Amino acid sequence: MNDVVTRGDLATVSVGRHCVVNQGSVVRPAPREWKGGLAFLKLAVGDYVWVGKNCVLQSVMVGSHVFIGDDVIVSPRCMIYGCSKICDGAVLAPD
């Protein structure tokens, strides 16, 4: 899709099979304070995941068969388990 940013330069980002990330979305590893600086945690996305338009995904894990609607913000270090649906415009709190 157009205008999608995946920040694999910060830490490992693994994406499963048959995943779709729609336009305007950003997928990046979650930052964490560590020894006076920042470290980034690995991000694992399962199979059959749909990420809607204009989303920010900074979770640690997204399970398989997950639907993330449009304009969703997934804050750092969230864990989204399999077979989940996140409705449009939702903001998931960190940790």
Side-chain angles (χ1 to χ4, degrees), residues 2 5 16 20 47 53 60 75 93:
N2 296 330
V5 177
V20 175
D47 299 330
K53 295 179 182 177
V60 174
S75 297

Side-chain angles (χ1 to χ4, degrees), residues 15-88:
V15 179
R17 296 176 298 157
H18 309 291
C19 295
V20 175
V21 179
N22 280 292
Q23 74 182 53
S25 294
V26 177
V27 178
R28 63 178 173 227
R32 178 181 180 191
E33 290 184 27
W34 189 67
K35 293 187 178 180
L38 276 180
F40 290 89
L41 305 172
K42 293 190 295 185
L43 169 58
V45 178
D47 299 330
Y48 303 99
V49 174
W50 175 274
V51 179
K53 295 179 182 177
N54 303 316
C55 293
V56 177
L57 180 62
Q58 296 187 85
S59 65
V60 174
M61 183 216 39
V62 177
S64 294
H65 303 281
V66 172
F67 177 86
I68 299 174
D70 296 340
D71 303 311
V72 171
I73 298 175
V74 181
S75 297
R77 298 175 303 278
C78 285
M79 296 177 75
I80 301 173
Y81 292 98
C83 299
S84 300
K85 179 180 179 180
I86 311 298
C87 295
D88 293 348

